[in-house]
Structures are given as structure tokens and as C-alpha cells.
């Protein structure tokens, strides 16, 4: 082809150094870190499988019986120890737990989030709050619930406080980051017109971050629904999670777990669909 | 006109607050949440915590055993995340609008991931407990299923976000499906995917504690043991160990994220 | 001269009510530089993408190099695509890979699956990539990551990726729409050179009428999915421009005489 001739003639112009082997991959910090991260994770996983505590388990048999269980669960669900209305009511109890903890968490997080936003306070206050919030987040929710349960007794009070703790830490991070994205010019303009801190917060900061805040809060509600189920099972918080725990640990009824799972799935998928809507909004506005 | 606008805004704000109030009251009633007790128990809990919930000199003798369990829990979390990620990558490629083979398989693979994601790991643990008992595999599979579901969704979003345009370009050169996946989709989404994997590991360590409580394994079981026997000093040591581990992993993954993205 | 590309009675329907193209006819000769102009939504991108079947036309016939593209099976289609380079408004590079890797991507269509997956390229291919990048003035940037380049440089990488395919024809969808006038001129000069010196046929979608008139051998004006002008840039009149862009555009389009003068 004509094109090729052109290119070969161009080749002759090049200095001889280029005639030697040409590498195409370049080693950057990013590619080195990516590769080492992947290798380390792979090695740790292999080591994990070797060191697992298998407890004389016949893995093949266990897998097969799990398949049988899943089949029974999803294809032959039934309710024996609970009525349909009871299960439905318990789903609402779980939703109620999720709602309360999200609401309390959101209210507290708005104030802490304002204090944690670097552009609204100062660096010291901000990093102090962000630090304590990271600390709270590091403790698994169930441990918070159990710790509060010693003082408040097992039940919804401990569950709500423990779950609220985690919601606060999650939402403070989300809120403060969206506050920090606010254009500094807006704050300056209001300051110049003589507005005080609270006026700036309520007239500029919160209105412009509102869509973000609503989306994040809903995402947390979705998470809290799942957490509330787990707390029902592991920390006596009541709701559908507790029924699931009973079906699994006391009645040993896999089909009943199946029925309960269907309830949970229905609500969770519904919430996820709404959350995706909110998230799309986040993207459009961001 | 203007008065109307503010009136309307005020009215919708009031309506929103009213609905919020009603739902709150209903929630309080059905969850049997005692508001007074809720507020009063907070200072009580703090007081109790300061008096009892801290590690003592003697509790430190249990540290080696606790670390042992911590490492087991970490390994379970990591193994579940990495294997879950491999499977999620497969499903995400099939499920993403950019790279799917056809619309039918696309919906199927996303549907499967949706189901796995929306059954909570605690529920998976209780289901798996029937066959896998108190072995590490109960926790492993529970976390594996949850990670698979979550990461599939995250990876699908990543692929659609970052590789749409270069996939089009490579299709136009006549490149084959697998060449496109390996030369365009994976290189462009890998950093974001690694970030999600690290996030998942953090989450899984917390969930592993919960699963341990439910199934009697790992660090969650250790905590439960001392908590139930009122050995709060050792229980608090377990909490401290978990906090240190999670903050450590968080800082490692923040470093990786900064280097990679 | 023989026609390299013939578009006969091509229509494209999106959904039930969007007719993006209706009965489009034209032909392009080997080595010709053709600009397609028309208002937003006229169907320019759709037309270009129908030619290499990134979009499947609803009806009609597209003959490229004596082959009807519309009837091709998957495998043959890929083969045809290796002979047609494509250049995009937003460059469509793999941002995290180096310039040379992005350039070599143009060869993937000719590779076995395994070589493609592993990204194995011969020394010859690499040398060719370096040469092309040299011709396009990108010597210093060969190992830079694509996202560290300026828009104009990225577009040159896009051209390099198309050139390494050793194509018979280039399809360019608004290659300069995101560039400043200087970089735009560099890109257009390169495209014109490719057509004149390498004899590669070039089909460009453009929004800049003056640029189209200056560089092209032929202008195709599209409006509402129909070809409303097909001819030499020299013969284009004010009325033709009005026909292409609609009568409201009258004030927007500068004096055609002035364009020809420049
Ligand atoms: N994938 C699609 N699905 C449905 N309709 C489409 C699709 N792509 C294009 N269209 C419609 O086809 C028509 C032509 O679009 P096209 O992108 O070809 O226009 P264009 O001339 O390239 O415009 P622009 O100059 O803005 O790029 C438009 O009405 C558009 O809405
Ligand atoms: Mg277009």
C-alpha cells in the first residue's frame, strides 16, 4: 500500500536508538501499587484457604446440602411458627427501627457535619470530629448495641442507640463532604453582606447541599434496614431478624427461613430501586 | 406571585415535617422504643463504660488468643472479598450495558446479583449454618455471597462510567470481544475496582464480627464469650483490637487509593 | 476514479418515531476528502456510524470496496472495520494507558484473541507505532499516560490509532469540536495530509462551515436525515447554506463570498 511506503520512508528518518526493542508498558507508581495490591490480596486469600478452620467438614457434602437447603428454602417456603400477618408486622418493626435510627442519626449528623466541614469551622474542630467519627465507625454496630445493652438491657432501646451511633458516623462523613464542596464564593458573598454563621448555614449551605443530604440519608436508611435485621438476629432488637434467628437456631426450619427471606428481599429490592433513583439524582446534580 | 411562592414552600415544608412526625410516632410505638429510657440510658451507659469497659492488666494475657482469632477473621474477610470480586467481575462484564453479550444475559446476571446483595450477610450466615456448622466456611460463604452481590453492582457502574467511549473506539477498529475487555475495559476500570474491593474488605471485617456472634466463630465468638461471662475487661480488649485492625486497614487502603486513582 | 464507498437509499429509524436518516444517497471516491455538515440532530453521527455498522441501518445498501457492508457476518464485518479508521470528538482513548499502547490498539483487529488479550505486539508493529507518532509530532509523549495530554495531543493519538490500522478510509465524527482554533488547525492539516499524501479517503463530520469549505474536495449537507447538498465547496451558495441549516440560520452564517475569498 501507498500508506506503508510513506511509513517506511518515515522510519529511515528516525535515530537508530529506536531500532532496539521498544517497550510499551511503563512502570508508574500507580501500576506498581495496583500490581502489588493484587498480588498481596491473592497470596493472602490462598493462605486463608489453607489456614481455614474446617472442623472436619466434608466440604463437597456441605455444598451439596446447601444447594438442597436453598432449593427447599426458595421453592417450598412456608410459615409454620408465625402467621403471615405476624411476619408482615415484624417487617414493619424492622423498618421502624431503621427509620428511627436514620432519623436520629441524620439530626445529630447535620450539626456535627456542619462542625466537621473545614470551610465552615476551623481545621482543628473539623479533624477532631472527623477523627472521633472514624473511631465510632471502626467498631461494628453489633458491638455498640451489645455494649449499650449492658446499661439499657437487650431490646429496642439498646439497638436504636447503637445503630444511631453508626448512622451518625456514616452521615457526618457524607454530609461534611457535601458541605465542603460548596463554592467558597457563596459563603464569602453572604459574609460580605453581613450575614452571621447560622444565617449562612440555613440560607446557603443547607439549601445547596439538600439533594445530596437526602440521597445519602436514604442510602443510609437502606443500609439500616439490613442492619436492623442483623440486630434482631444477633442482639435481640426484635423485628423480622429475630424471627429469622428463631427459625434458624430454634425451629431449624429452612423453609420458614425461606418465607422470611422473601419478605426481606421484597422490601430490600424496593428500597434499592428507590435508592438508585436518588443516586442518579446525585450524579445529575454533582 | 412571590408571596405565593413562599407560602407554597412553607406549606410543603410543614407537610413534610408532619409526615416525618407521624412516621416517627408510629415507629416508636411499633418498635416499643422507650424514648425516656433511651435518653436516660445514654449517660448511664457512658458511666458504666468508664467504670467497667476497659482492658486491664490481666486481660492482656488473653491478647495472643484474641489476635489469633482476629487474624482468622481478617483472612476470612479477605478471601471472601477477593473470590467474590473475581465472580463479580465476570457477572459485571456480562451485566454492564457497555460489555454485555446480549440484553437477556445482561438482565439475568444483574438479577442474580440483586438477589445475592439483598439477602443480608447475617441471613446468609444463618442459612449456611445448617450445612457448614461452626467452620470458617460459614462465614466465608456468607461474606462471599454478600461481596459478590455488592461488588457486581459497583463494578457494573464502574465499567459503564469509565470505559464506554474507549470500547466504542476499539469496536470500530474491528477488535474482538476479549481483546476489548482486556485492553480497554479492565485497564480503565481496575483502579476504581480495587478501591471498591478495599472498601468491601473493611465492611466485611465488621460483618465478620457479626457473623461470628451468630455462628460461633472468629473474633465475634471471642467477644461473645467474654461478654456473656461478664468479663468486660477482656471484651473491651477485643473491641480495642478490632478498632486498631479496622483503622489500620482503612489507612492502608487510603494509601492505595491515593496512589492508584 | 472509482467509488470506494457508495451509500444507496440508506434509512435509519430509532424506535417508532425518530427517523434519523431517510433515503440517503451519495458516493465517495478513493482518496477524496469529504465533509458532512448540517445542524445538530441532522443525523451526521448516525450516518457515519452506519458506514462501519456501529449502528445498523434500517434499510438500504452501503458498498465499501465492492462489498455490501450491510450483509456482512460478524467475522467479515470485523475485517472490514480493520480497513476503516474512526476518530471521535472525545478521542475515546483508554485514559490510563500510555500513548503507544493506545496507538497499538489499532492493531487489535488483526490479532488472534490470545495475542489481543495479552497485548502482545511484534517489534515491527511497535516500530510502526513510533513512526506514526513521530509523523504526528508526538515523539516526546510516547510513554505518557493518555490522560496527561492536551486535547489536541489526544486527538493526534486518536489519529495514530486509526493510521496504524493501515486503513483505506477514515471516519471522523467532529474531530475538532472540543479543540481550540490552533489545535483544530493542526488536526485538520494532518487529516488533509493523510488524504493527499497517503491517498486515504477521509469522511469528516464538521460544525465549522468555513473549515469544511477550506479543506474539502466535496461537501455533503444534511438536514433532517436527508442529503440536501452534494457537491464541490466552490459551488456552494448562500441559498445552499440556508437549505442545510434552515432559514433561521441566515444571520448566523457569514457571507459565503467572504469564505471563498479567504
Ligand atoms: N441511539 C439513539 N436512539 C434513539 N435516537 C437516536 C439515537 N442516536 C441518535 N438518535 C436521534 O437521531 C437523530 C440524529 O442524531 P445524530 O446524533 O446522528 O445527529 P448529529 O447530526 O450527529 O447531531 P450533532 O451535530 O449534535 O452531533 C437525532 O434526532 C437523535 O435524537
Ligand atoms: Mg453527532
Amino acid at each position: 500500500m501507498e500508506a506503508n511506503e510513506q511509513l517506511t520512508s518515515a522510519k529511515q528518518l528516525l535515530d537508530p536508538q529506536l531500532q532496539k526493542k521498544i517497550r510499551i508498558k511503563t512502570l508508574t507508581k500507580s501500576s506498581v501499587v495496583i500490581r502489588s495490591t493484587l498480588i498481596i490480596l491473592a497470596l493472602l486469600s490462598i493462605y486463608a484457604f489453607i489456614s481455614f478452620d474446617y472442623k472436619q467438614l466434608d466440604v463437597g457434602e456441605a455444598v451439596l446440602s446447601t444447594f438442597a437447603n436453598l432449593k427447599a428454602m426458595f421453592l417450598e417456603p412456608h410459615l409454620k411458627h408465625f402467621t403471615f400477618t405476624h411476619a408482615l408486622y415484624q417487617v414493619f418493626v424492622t423498618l421502624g427501627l431503621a427509620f428511627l435510627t436514620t432519623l436520629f442519626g441524620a439530626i445529630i449528623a447535620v450539626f456535627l457535619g456542619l462542625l466537621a466541614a473545614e470551610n465552615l469551622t476551623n481545621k482543628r474542630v473539623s479533624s477532631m470530629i472527623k477523627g472521633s467519627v472514624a473511631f465510632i465507625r471502626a467498631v461494628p454496630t453489633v458491638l455498640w448495641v451489645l455494649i449499650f445493652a449492658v446499661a439499657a438491657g437487650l431490646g429496642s432501646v439498646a439497638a436504636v442507640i447503637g445503630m444511631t451511633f453508626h448512622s451518625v458516623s456514616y452521615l457526618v462523613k457524607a454530609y461534611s463532604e457535601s458541605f465542603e464542596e460548596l463554592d467558597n464564593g457563596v459563603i464569602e458573598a453572604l459574609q460580605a453582606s453581613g450575614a452571621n454563621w447560622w444565617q449562612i448555614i440555613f440560607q446557603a449551605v443547607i439549601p445547596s447541599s439538600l439533594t445530596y443530604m437526602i440521597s445519602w440519608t436514604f442510602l443510609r436508611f437502606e443500609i439500616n434496614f439490613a442492619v436492623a435485621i442483623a440486630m434482631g438476629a444477633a442482639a435481640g432488637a426484635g423485628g423480622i431478624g429475630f424471627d429469622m434467628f428463631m427459625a434458624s437456631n430454634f425451629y431449624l426450619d429452612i423453609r420458614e427461613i425461606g418465607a422470611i427471606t422473601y419478605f426481606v428481599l421484597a422490601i430490600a429490592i424496593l428500597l434499592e430501586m428507590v435508592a438508585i433513583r436518588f443516586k442518579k439524582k446525585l450524579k445529575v446534580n454533582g | 406571585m412571590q408571596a405565593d411562592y413562599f407560602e407554597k414552600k412553607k406549606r410543603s415544608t410543614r407537610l413534610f415535617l408532619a409526615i416525618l412526625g407521624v412516621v416517627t410516632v408510629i415507629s416508636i410505638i411499633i418498635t416499643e422504643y422507650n424514648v425516656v429510657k433511651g435518653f436516660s440510658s445514654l449517660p448511664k451507659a457512658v458511666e458504666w463504660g468508664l467504670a467497667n469497659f476497659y482492658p486491664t492488666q490481666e486481660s492482656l494475657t488473653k491478647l495472643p488468643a484474641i489476635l489469633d482469632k482476629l487474624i482468622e477473621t481478617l483472612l476470612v474477610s479477605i478471601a471472601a472479598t477477593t473470590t467474590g470480586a473475581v465472580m463479580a467481575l465476570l457477572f459485571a462484564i456480562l451485566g454492564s450495558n457497555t460489555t454485555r453479550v446480549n440484553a437477556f444475559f445482561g438482565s439475568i446476571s444483574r438479577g442474580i446479583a440483586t438477589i445475592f446483595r439483598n439477602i443480608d450477610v447475617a441471613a446468609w450466615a444463618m442459612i449456611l449454618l445448617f450445612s457448614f456448622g461452626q467452620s470458617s466456611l460459614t462465614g466465608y460463604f456468607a461474606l462471599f455471597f454478600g461481596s459478590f452481590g455488592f461488588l457486581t453492582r459497583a463494578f457494573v457502574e464502574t465499567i459503564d462510567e469509565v470505559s464506554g467511549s474507549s470500547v466504542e473506539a476499539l469496536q470500530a477498529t474491528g477488535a474482538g470481544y476479549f481483546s476489548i475487555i482486556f485492553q480497554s475495559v479492565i485497564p480503565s476500570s481496575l483502579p476504581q475496582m480495587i478501591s471498591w474491593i478495599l472498601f468491601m474488605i473493611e465492611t466485611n471485617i465488621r460483618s465478620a464480627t457479626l457473623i461470628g456472634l451468630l455462628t460461633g466463630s472468629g473474633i465475634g465468638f471471642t467477644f461473645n464469650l467474654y461478654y456473656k461471662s461478664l468479663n468486660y475487661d477482656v471484651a473491651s480488649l477485643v473491641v480495642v483490637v478490632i478498632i486498631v485492625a479496622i483503622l489500620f486497614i482503612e489507612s492502608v487502603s487510603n494509601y492505595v487509593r491515593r496512589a492508584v486513582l | 476514479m472509482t467509488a470506494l464507498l457508495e451509500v444507496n437509499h440508506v434509512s435509519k429509524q430509532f424506535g417508532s418515531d425518530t427517523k434519523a436518516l431517510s433515503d440517503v444517497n451519495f458516493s465517495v471516491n478513493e482518496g477524496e476528502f469529504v465533509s458532512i455538515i448540517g445542524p445538530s440532530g441532522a443525523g451526521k453521527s448516525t450516518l457515519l456510524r452506519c458506514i462501519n455498522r456501529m449502528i445498523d441501518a434500517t434499510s438500504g445498501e452501503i458498498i465499501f470496496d465492492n462489498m455490501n457492508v450491510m450483509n456482512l457476518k460478524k467475522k467479515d464485518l470485523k475485517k472490514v472495520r480493520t480497513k476503516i479508521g474512526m476518530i471521535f470528538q472525545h478521542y475515546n482513548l483508554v485514559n490510563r494507558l500510555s500513548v503507544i499502547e493506545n496507538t497499538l490498539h489499532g492493531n487489535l483487529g488483526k490479532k488472534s484473541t490470545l495475542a489481543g488479550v495479552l497485548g502482545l505486539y511484534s517489534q515491527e508493529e511497535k516500530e510502526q507505532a513510533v513512526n506514526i507518532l513521530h509523523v504526528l509530532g508526538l515523539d516526546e509523549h510516547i510513554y505518557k499516560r493518555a490522560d496527561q495530554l492536551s486535547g489536541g495531543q489526544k486527538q493526534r493519538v486518536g489519529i495514530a490509532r486509526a493510521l496504524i490500522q493501515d486503513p483505506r478510509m477514515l471516519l471522523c465524527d467532529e474531530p475538532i469540536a472540543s479543540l481550540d482554533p490552533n489545535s483544530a488547525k493542526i488536526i485538520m492539516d494532518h487529516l488533509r495530509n493523510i488524504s493527499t499524501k497517503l491517498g486515504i479517503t477521509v469522511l469528516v463530520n464538521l460544525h465549522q462551515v468555513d473549515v469544511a469549505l477550506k479543506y474539502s474536495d466535496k461537501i455533503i449537507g444534511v438536514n433532517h436525515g436527508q442529503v440536501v447538498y452534494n457537491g464541490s465547496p466552490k459551488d456552494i451558495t448562500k441559498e445552499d447554506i440556508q437549505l442545510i441549516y434552515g432559514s433561521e440560520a441566515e444571520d448566523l452564517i457569514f457571507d459565503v463570498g467572504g469564505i471563498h475569498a479567504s
Side-chain angles (χ1 to χ4, degrees), chain A residues 6 14 22-23 25 30, chain C residues 96 101 126 131 143 198:
Chain A
Q6 275 285 332
L14 292 172
I22 303 170
R23 68 203 159 87
K25 289 276 174 206
S30 154
Chain C
R96 306 189 57 89
E101 282 171 285
K126 291 178 195 170
N131 290 335
Y143 296 116
L198 305 184

Side-chain angles (χ1 to χ4, degrees), chain B residues 93-94 98-101 171 175-182, chain C residues 78:
Chain B
I93 287 172
L94 287 174
T98 318
T99 53
R100 66 183 184 196
V101 182
Q171 275 168 353
Y177 182 76
F178 290 101
S179 299
I180 294 176
I181 300 288
F182 280 89
Chain C
K78 275 182 193 160

Side-chain angles (χ1 to χ4, degrees), chain B residues 217-232:
Chain B
S217 61
I219 191 108
F221 178 64
T222 312
F223 175 85
N224 213 17
L225 203 66
Y226 294 112
Y227 172 84
K228 287 227 169 105
S229 58
L230 311 183
N231 279 319
Y232 293 126

Side-chain angles (χ1 to χ4, degrees), chain A residues 117-121 179-197 200-201 204-205 208:
Chain A
E118 252 176 48
N119 53 345
L120 301 176
T121 49
F179 294 152
E180 278 166 2
E181 269 174 28
L182 180 71
D183 187 1
N184 255 330
V186 180
I187 298 173
E188 250 176 26
L190 285 186
Q191 269 171 347
S193 72
N196 69 25
W197 195 77
I200 293 175
I201 299 299
V205 179
S208 46

Side-chain angles (χ1 to χ4, degrees), chain C residues 14-15 18 20 38-47 55 173-174 205 207:
Chain C
F14 283 116
T18 315
S40 243
K44 303 182 297 295
S45 302
T46 307
L47 175 57
I55 295 176
D173 193 7
E174 296 180 24
N205 278 352
H207 269 305

Side-chain angles (χ1 to χ4, degrees), chain B residues 13-94:
Chain B
T13 310
R14 257 191 231 136
L15 184 70
F16 175 73
L17 288 178
I19 292 175
L20 215 58
V22 171
V23 177
T24 308
V25 171
I26 294 175
S27 299
I28 288 174
I29 293 170
I30 62 171
T31 58
E32 294 163 26
Y33 175 70
N34 186 331
V35 184
V36 180
K37 199 172 159 200
F39 279 110
S40 66
S41 64
L42 198 58
K44 232 168 65 194
V46 174
E47 200 179 302
W48 171 84
L50 290 178
N52 302 293
F53 206 72
Y54 53 83
T56 56
Q57 196 72 42
E58 311 137 57
S59 65
L60 287 179
T61 55
K62 300 282 194 305
L63 192 58
I66 295 174
L67 287 179
D68 226 35
K69 285 290 172 192
L70 176 77
I71 288 171
E72 182 192 328
T73 304
L74 290 180
L75 286 174
V76 169
S77 310
I78 291 172
T81 311
T82 50
T83 44
V86 171
M87 186 136 134
L89 180 61
L90 213 72
F91 273 69
I93 287 172
L94 287 174

